[in-house]
Amino acid sequence: MGDENLILNITQAPVPNSFQRGNNKSHKHPGKWQPKSKAVKRKCQEPSEEPSPKRRLPPPHQKKQRNAVDEKPYKKHEAPSEKILDGKKEENPKGRPAVKTSSLFKNNPEVPDIDRPAVKQLKEKVFSADSFSDLDLHPHLVATIKTVMNMPNMTSVQKLTIPALLAGRDVLVRSQTGSGKTMAYGVPLVQALQGVTPKIQRSDGPYALVLVPTRELALQSFNTIQKLLKPFTWIVPGVLMGGEKRKSEKARLRKGINILISTPGRLLDHIKSTKSIHFTRARWLIVDEADRILDMGFEKDVTAILNALNSQCQHRQNVLLSATLSPGVTRLADISLNDPFNVTIAEDNSREAKHGGKAKEDKKDSESSCFAMPEKLHQHAVVAPSKLKLVTLATFILGKWKCERKAKMIVFFPSCELVEFYHTLLSKVLTVGDSAMGSDDFLRLHGNMEQEERTEVFQQFTNCQAGILLCTDVAARGLDLPQVTWIVQYGAPASAAEYIHRVGRTARLGAQGSSLLILIPSEAAYLQTLAEHKISVSEMKMEDILSNLLMEDFLKIKRAGGKKSDVADPQTVRERATVLQTKFEDYVHASADTALWAKKALQSYIRSYATYPKNLKHIFHIRSLHLGHVAKSFGLRDAPHNLSRQLSGSLNKQSKGKQKRFCLPARIPTIQLLHPTIEIHATSPEREAFASVAC
Ligand SMILES: Nc1ncnc2c1ncn2[C@@H]1O[C@H](COP(=O)(O)OP(=O)(O)OP(=O)(O)O)[C@@H](O)[C@H]1O
């Protein structure tokens, strides 16, 4: 479609102020979450729109329980004039092609005013005044840290952790994202191993095992350890992360690896099938992102690994680290680690011993944990109706790209399929005409990619000055990607801990950074959940984000009669939003394949929506989704019918006793790190199901 020729027939009703705040009577969808307060609500609707008698809610006793994915009742509510754009070009009286607008700004649910309780976030001081040379470290190690790695002073977590580990203690480390935990275990590990006599030989095999949840983190940790080992060339580090041919990994293991960094799955694979690994000399076990590794998806693998370790070596130093070591994990460590030293940096944390000490018993479960957030992280949330969610995301990306002269941004999605779909959609649609963006500016990272490509993307995004990385939670934990300015979450993560790790990819080591969480109206209560974890998020108005469209000339429209649009007019914003949505819809409906792809992506979204844990089900329930509206955020013009049937089938199955499949138990598995027999209490199929969805 030639952009210049595009003419939009949009209801030119007067728009009093921005996008109509308050006063409009609203159409409330049955079965949908409604804010309880009578506070003034914002609506993204045409001002003239009065709910027709048909659209008014029936009296409560007549309310029909609606199947979340049955779009029919909603179809009834759609006035004929609001028929969703069918994409066919129509001829206006002057013979110029025109496209009927979709009803993007009509019939949206109310956007509740966000009621944010005042939250005082926990803070951590990032740097200490102490230098690495204040510690009793090998002079070559100190020189490497100072000159090669350019780190004169220790961070607070390093100042507390390193001496405890040098003294031979087991340690539990909890400090905010980007505070230098890798060096906190890496430095004492290298210091200890360089002093082993007789000198360590490659053929000795592993002296230390570092477990991390993802391949990229394995690679990153390996790089840090490799730098620290520069003066001690006889100690060989190695990484196992899958993707590489098993045979060549096996050959490397046979040659000898003294510090082995691995994801649990790949390591177990070698323990079980290649039998090329032994732990007779193992002295260290380091579990980075311990809450993640000891929790969902990994417990079976970790159990088997620990059994193998425990059967071959008894005396070991154990280190558990994470920005979100919950009291549950602390309790677990209390019973399973040998008199662990507890490092917690956060100020005002009454439930934990401050600045080191033994962890106190905590009566509350992990859900009520509060964690420190980087001080210079500016957190925002926007509530956008489902129909406008995609346009809001796209406009935000375009706006930041323009305002910040090419931003470095990470956008999180809930599944691999969604990353693939939106990567293609955004990189095709946002790069046309005179858009400032190019398709190379969009990168993607998820667990279904070939390892070679995964590593390449990881390196590329690490080294680039600007770019938009679309990813799953595979990039949420531990990755230290320099100069990321924005973290965007296209939907909420399943826990406050995951939220913290996602936003923690920016504002690292005291730097500035910002985040945006995109929610739909029925999810606004999630901000309250975050507040309960002392996470303070400020509201960004969707209207303000959409006003960035005024800068996008590639979305300019010419009206019939050659009249130019008034750029200051909110109506112009709506027009451009509609042009953008139309471009998405045109792309999706350009072929049967792309339309099918969009449907599959939508299906994946609904599936992932069903995996929210029980404690969040009151906010994220698929019954509160309006399938027709959600479909718009996939560039679909209407809710797919067969999808509705398929999903209601799966819902029925769930209600026949299978709903647990997607409910993640909050329990932390009990893993006895020190003892040969390991007990795991958490049942796994549902977690595995989750892990496979989240990749
Ligand atoms: N003492 C130091 N001085 C300067 N920079 C440091 C120091 N220690 C670590 N860094 C740098 O800080 C960054 C963050 O470190 P690291 O990735 O270890 O943080 P983390 O606490 O493990 O974060 P996350 O919780 O997200 O995994 C890295 O770029 C690292 O090189």
Side-chain angles (χ1 to χ4, degrees), residues 391-443:
V391 166
T392 302
L393 170 69
T395 308
F396 185 78
I397 293 172
L398 287 169
K400 288 296 154 204
W401 197 259
K402 213 152 236 182
C403 292
E404 293 184 5
R405 300 232 177 123
K406 301 188 172 187
K408 192 162 172 180
M409 186 187 289
I410 302 178
V411 188
F412 285 98
F413 291 90
S415 75
C416 307
E417 289 88 347
L418 292 182
V419 172
E420 279 294 327
F421 174 72
Y422 282 113
H423 175 260
T424 303
L425 191 63
L426 293 169
S427 61
K428 294 281 181 202
V429 172
L430 300 189
T431 58
V432 293
D434 55 357
S435 161
M437 304 192 77
S439 54
D440 290 350
D441 297 323
F442 290 92
L443 300 170

Coordinates of all heavy atoms in Angstrom, one line a residue, residues 391-443:
V391 N 0.2 -1.1 19.5 CA 0.5 0.2 19.0 C 1.3 1.0 20.1 O 2.2 1.8 19.8 CB -0.8 1.0 18.6 CG1 -0.6 2.5 18.5 CG2 -1.3 0.4 17.3
T392 N 0.9 0.8 21.4 CA 1.6 1.4 22.5 C 3.1 1.0 22.5 O 4.0 1.8 22.6 CB 1.0 1.1 23.8 OG1 -0.4 1.6 23.7 CG2 1.6 1.8 25.0
L393 N 3.3 -0.3 22.4 CA 4.7 -0.8 22.4 C 5.5 -0.2 21.2 O 6.6 0.3 21.4 CB 4.7 -2.4 22.3 CG 6.1 -3.0 22.1 CD1 7.0 -2.8 23.3 CD2 6.0 -4.5 21.7
A394 N 4.9 -0.3 20.0 CA 5.6 0.1 18.8 C 5.9 1.6 18.9 O 7.0 2.1 18.6 CB 4.7 -0.1 17.6
T395 N 4.9 2.4 19.4 CA 5.2 3.8 19.5 C 6.3 4.1 20.6 O 7.1 5.1 20.4 CB 3.9 4.5 19.9 OG1 2.8 4.1 19.0 CG2 4.0 6.1 19.9
F396 N 6.2 3.4 21.6 CA 7.3 3.6 22.7 C 8.7 3.4 22.1 O 9.6 4.2 22.3 CB 7.0 2.7 23.9 CG 8.0 2.9 25.0 CD1 7.8 4.0 25.8 CD2 9.1 2.1 25.2 CE1 8.7 4.3 26.9 CE2 10.0 2.4 26.2 CZ 9.8 3.5 27.0
I397 N 8.8 2.3 21.3 CA 10.1 2.0 20.7 C 10.5 3.1 19.7 O 11.6 3.6 19.8 CB 10.0 0.6 20.0 CG1 9.8 -0.5 21.0 CG2 11.3 0.4 19.1 CD1 9.6 -1.9 20.3
L398 N 9.6 3.5 18.9 CA 9.9 4.5 17.9 C 10.3 5.8 18.6 O 11.2 6.5 18.2 CB 8.6 4.8 17.0 CG 8.3 3.7 16.0 CD1 6.9 4.0 15.4 CD2 9.3 3.7 14.9
G399 N 9.5 6.1 19.7 CA 9.7 7.4 20.4 C 11.1 7.4 21.0 O 11.9 8.4 20.9
K400 N 11.5 6.3 21.7 CA 12.8 6.3 22.4 C 13.9 6.3 21.3 O 14.9 6.9 21.6 CB 12.9 5.0 23.2 CG 12.0 5.1 24.5 CD 12.5 6.2 25.4 CE 11.3 6.6 26.3 NZ 11.4 8.0 26.8
W401 N 13.7 5.6 20.2 CA 14.7 5.6 19.2 C 15.0 7.0 18.7 O 16.1 7.4 18.5 CB 14.2 4.7 18.0 CG 15.3 4.3 17.1 CD1 15.6 4.8 15.9 CD2 16.3 3.2 17.3 NE1 16.7 4.2 15.3 CE2 17.1 3.2 16.2 CE3 16.5 2.4 18.4 CZ2 18.1 2.3 16.1 CZ3 17.5 1.4 18.2 CH2 18.3 1.4 17.1
K402 N 13.9 7.8 18.6 CA 14.1 9.1 18.1 C 14.6 10.1 19.2 O 15.6 10.8 19.0 CB 12.7 9.7 17.6 CG 12.9 10.6 16.5 CD 11.7 10.6 15.5 CE 12.1 10.3 14.1 NZ 11.0 10.4 13.2
C403 N 14.0 10.0 20.4 CA 14.4 11.0 21.4 C 15.8 10.7 22.0 O 16.5 11.6 22.3 CB 13.4 10.9 22.6 SG 11.8 11.5 22.1
E404 N 16.1 9.4 22.1 CA 17.4 9.1 22.7 C 18.4 8.8 21.7 O 19.5 8.3 22.0 CB 17.2 7.9 23.7 CG 16.4 8.2 24.9 CD 16.3 7.1 25.9 OE1 16.9 6.1 25.7 OE2 15.5 7.3 26.9
R405 N 18.1 9.2 20.5 CA 19.1 9.0 19.4 C 19.5 7.5 19.4 O 20.7 7.2 19.7 CB 20.3 9.9 19.5 CG 19.9 11.3 19.4 CD 20.7 12.0 18.3 NE 20.3 13.4 18.2 CZ 21.0 14.4 18.4 NH1 22.3 14.3 18.6 NH2 20.6 15.6 18.3
K406 N 18.6 6.7 19.2 CA 18.9 5.2 19.1 C 19.1 4.7 20.5 O 20.2 4.7 21.1 CB 20.1 4.9 18.2 CG 19.9 5.4 16.8 CD 21.0 4.8 16.0 CE 20.7 5.1 14.5 NZ 21.6 4.5 13.6
A407 N 18.1 4.1 21.1 CA 18.1 3.5 22.4 C 18.7 2.1 22.4 O 18.8 1.5 21.4 CB 16.7 3.5 23.0
K408 N 19.2 1.7 23.6 CA 19.5 0.3 23.7 C 18.5 -0.3 24.6 O 18.5 0.0 25.8 CB 21.0 0.1 24.2 CG 21.5 -1.3 24.1 CD 23.0 -1.3 24.2 CE 23.5 -2.8 24.3 NZ 25.0 -2.9 24.4
M409 N 17.6 -1.1 24.1 CA 16.4 -1.5 24.8 C 16.3 -3.1 24.8 O 16.6 -3.7 23.8 CB 15.2 -0.9 24.1 CG 13.9 -1.0 24.8 SD 12.6 -0.4 23.8 CE 12.8 1.4 23.9
I410 N 15.8 -3.6 25.9 CA 15.4 -5.0 25.9 C 13.9 -5.1 26.1 O 13.4 -4.5 27.1 CB 16.1 -5.8 27.1 CG1 17.7 -5.6 26.9 CG2 15.7 -7.3 27.1 CD1 18.5 -6.3 28.0
V411 N 13.2 -5.9 25.3 CA 11.8 -6.1 25.5 C 11.5 -7.5 25.8 O 11.9 -8.4 25.0 CB 11.0 -5.7 24.2 CG1 9.5 -5.6 24.4 CG2 11.5 -4.3 23.7
F412 N 10.9 -7.7 27.0 CA 10.6 -9.1 27.4 C 9.2 -9.6 27.0 O 8.2 -8.8 27.1 CB 10.7 -9.2 28.9 CG 12.1 -9.2 29.4 CD1 12.7 -8.1 29.9 CD2 12.9 -10.4 29.4 CE1 14.0 -8.1 30.3 CE2 14.2 -10.4 29.8 CZ 14.8 -9.3 30.3
F413 N 9.1 -10.8 26.5 CA 7.9 -11.4 26.1 C 7.7 -12.7 26.8 O 8.7 -13.3 27.2 CB 7.8 -11.7 24.6 CG 7.7 -10.4 23.8 CD1 8.9 -9.8 23.3 CD2 6.5 -9.9 23.4 CE1 8.8 -8.6 22.6 CE2 6.5 -8.7 22.7 CZ 7.6 -8.1 22.2
P414 N 6.5 -13.3 27.0 CA 6.3 -14.5 27.8 C 6.7 -15.8 27.1 O 6.7 -16.8 27.7 CB 4.8 -14.4 28.1 CG 4.2 -13.6 27.2 CD 5.2 -12.6 26.6
S415 N 6.9 -15.8 25.8 CA 7.2 -17.1 25.2 C 8.1 -16.9 23.9 O 8.1 -15.8 23.3 CB 5.9 -17.9 24.8 OG 5.4 -17.3 23.6
C416 N 8.7 -18.0 23.5 CA 9.6 -18.0 22.3 C 8.8 -17.6 21.1 O 9.2 -16.8 20.2 CB 10.2 -19.4 22.1 SG 11.0 -20.1 23.5
E417 N 7.6 -18.2 21.0 CA 6.7 -17.9 19.8 C 6.4 -16.4 19.7 O 6.4 -15.8 18.6 CB 5.4 -18.7 19.9 CG 5.5 -20.2 19.7 CD 5.8 -20.9 21.0 OE1 6.1 -20.2 22.0 OE2 5.7 -22.1 21.0
L418 N 6.2 -15.8 20.8 CA 5.9 -14.4 20.8 C 7.1 -13.5 20.4 O 6.9 -12.6 19.7 CB 5.3 -13.9 22.2 CG 4.0 -14.5 22.6 CD1 3.5 -13.9 23.9 CD2 2.9 -14.1 21.5
V419 N 8.2 -13.9 20.9 CA 9.4 -13.2 20.5 C 9.6 -13.3 19.0 O 9.8 -12.3 18.3 CB 10.7 -13.8 21.2 CG1 12.0 -13.2 20.6 CG2 10.6 -13.5 22.7
E420 N 9.5 -14.5 18.4 CA 9.6 -14.7 17.0 C 8.6 -13.8 16.2 O 9.0 -13.1 15.3 CB 9.4 -16.2 16.6 CG 10.6 -17.0 16.8 CD 11.8 -16.7 15.9 OE1 11.6 -16.3 14.8 OE2 12.9 -16.8 16.4
F421 N 7.4 -13.9 16.7 CA 6.3 -13.2 15.9 C 6.5 -11.7 16.0 O 6.5 -11.0 14.9 CB 4.9 -13.6 16.5 CG 3.8 -12.8 16.0 CD1 3.4 -13.1 14.7 CD2 3.2 -11.8 16.7 CE1 2.3 -12.3 14.1 CE2 2.1 -11.1 16.2 CZ 1.7 -11.3 14.9
Y422 N 6.7 -11.2 17.2 CA 6.8 -9.7 17.3 C 8.1 -9.2 16.7 O 8.2 -8.0 16.2 CB 6.6 -9.2 18.8 CG 5.2 -9.3 19.2 CD1 4.7 -10.1 20.1 CD2 4.3 -8.4 18.6 CE1 3.4 -10.2 20.5 CE2 2.9 -8.4 19.0 CZ 2.5 -9.3 19.9 OH 1.2 -9.3 20.3
H423 N 9.1 -10.0 16.7 CA 10.4 -9.6 16.1 C 10.2 -9.3 14.6 O 10.6 -8.3 14.1 CB 11.5 -10.7 16.3 CG 12.7 -10.4 15.6 ND1 13.1 -10.9 14.4 CD2 13.8 -9.5 15.9 CE1 14.3 -10.4 14.0 NE2 14.7 -9.6 14.9
T424 N 9.5 -10.3 14.0 CA 9.2 -10.1 12.6 C 8.3 -8.9 12.3 O 8.5 -8.1 11.5 CB 8.6 -11.4 12.0 OG1 9.5 -12.5 12.3 CG2 8.4 -11.3 10.5
L425 N 7.2 -8.9 13.1 CA 6.2 -7.9 12.9 C 6.8 -6.5 13.0 O 6.6 -5.6 12.2 CB 5.0 -8.1 13.9 CG 3.8 -7.3 13.6 CD1 3.1 -7.7 12.3 CD2 2.8 -7.6 14.8
L426 N 7.5 -6.3 14.1 CA 8.0 -4.9 14.4 C 9.1 -4.6 13.4 O 9.2 -3.4 13.0 CB 8.5 -4.8 15.9 CG 7.4 -4.9 17.0 CD1 8.1 -5.1 18.3 CD2 6.5 -3.7 17.0
S427 N 10.0 -5.5 13.1 CA 11.1 -5.2 12.3 C 10.6 -5.0 10.8 O 11.3 -4.3 10.0 CB 12.2 -6.2 12.3 OG 11.7 -7.4 11.9
K428 N 9.5 -5.5 10.5 CA 8.9 -5.3 9.1 C 8.2 -3.9 9.1 O 8.4 -3.1 8.2 CB 8.0 -6.4 8.7 CG 8.6 -7.7 8.5 CD 9.3 -7.8 7.2 CE 9.9 -9.2 7.0 NZ 11.1 -9.3 6.1
V429 N 7.3 -3.7 10.1 CA 6.4 -2.6 10.0 C 7.1 -1.3 10.4 O 6.8 -0.2 9.9 CB 5.1 -2.9 10.8 CG1 4.2 -1.7 10.9 CG2 4.4 -4.1 10.2
L430 N 8.0 -1.3 11.4 CA 8.5 -0.1 11.9 C 9.7 0.4 11.1 O 10.3 1.4 11.5 CB 8.9 -0.2 13.4 CG 7.8 -0.6 14.4 CD1 8.3 -0.5 15.8 CD2 6.6 0.3 14.2
T431 N 10.1 -0.3 10.1 CA 11.3 0.1 9.3 C 10.9 0.6 7.9 O 11.9 0.8 7.1 CB 12.2 -1.1 9.3 OG1 11.6 -2.2 8.7 CG2 12.7 -1.5 10.6
V432 N 9.7 0.8 7.6 CA 9.3 1.1 6.3 C 9.4 2.7 6.1 O 9.5 3.4 7.0 CB 7.9 0.7 5.9 CG1 7.8 -0.8 5.8 CG2 6.9 1.3 6.9
G433 N 9.4 3.1 4.8 CA 9.3 4.5 4.5 C 10.5 5.2 5.1 O 11.6 4.8 5.1
D434 N 10.2 6.4 5.6 CA 11.3 7.2 6.2 C 11.4 7.0 7.7 O 11.8 7.9 8.4 CB 11.1 8.7 5.8 CG 9.8 9.2 6.2 OD1 8.9 8.4 6.7 OD2 9.5 10.4 6.0
S435 N 11.0 5.8 8.2 CA 11.2 5.5 9.6 C 12.7 5.6 9.9 O 13.5 5.2 9.0 CB 10.6 4.2 9.9 OG 11.2 3.7 11.1
A436 N 13.0 6.0 11.1 CA 14.5 6.1 11.4 C 15.1 4.8 11.7 O 16.3 4.6 11.9 CB 14.6 7.0 12.6
M437 N 14.3 3.7 11.8 CA 14.8 2.4 12.2 C 15.0 1.5 11.0 O 14.3 1.6 10.0 CB 13.8 1.7 13.2 CG 13.4 2.6 14.4 SD 12.5 1.6 15.6 CE 13.9 0.7 16.4
G438 N 16.0 0.6 11.2 CA 16.3 -0.4 10.2 C 16.0 -1.8 10.7 O 16.0 -1.9 12.0
S439 N 15.8 -2.7 9.9 CA 15.5 -4.1 10.4 C 16.6 -4.7 11.2 O 16.4 -5.5 12.1 CB 15.0 -5.0 9.3 OG 16.0 -5.0 8.3
D440 N 17.9 -4.2 10.9 CA 19.0 -4.7 11.7 C 19.0 -4.3 13.1 O 19.7 -4.8 14.0 CB 20.3 -4.3 11.0 CG 20.6 -5.0 9.7 OD1 19.8 -5.9 9.4 OD2 21.5 -4.6 9.0
D441 N 18.2 -3.2 13.4 CA 18.2 -2.7 14.7 C 17.4 -3.6 15.7 O 17.4 -3.5 16.9 CB 17.5 -1.3 14.8 CG 18.3 -0.3 14.0 OD1 19.5 -0.4 14.0 OD2 17.7 0.5 13.3
F442 N 16.7 -4.6 15.1 CA 15.9 -5.5 16.0 C 16.6 -6.9 16.1 O 16.9 -7.5 15.1 CB 14.5 -5.7 15.4 CG 13.6 -4.5 15.5 CD1 13.6 -3.6 14.5 CD2 12.8 -4.3 16.6 CE1 12.8 -2.5 14.6 CE2 12.0 -3.2 16.7 CZ 12.0 -2.3 15.7
L443 N 16.8 -7.3 17.3 CA 17.5 -8.6 17.5 C 16.5 -9.5 18.4 O 15.6 -8.9 19.0 CB 18.8 -8.4 18.3 CG 19.8 -7.6 17.7 CD1 21.0 -7.3 18.6 CD2 20.4 -8.3 16.4

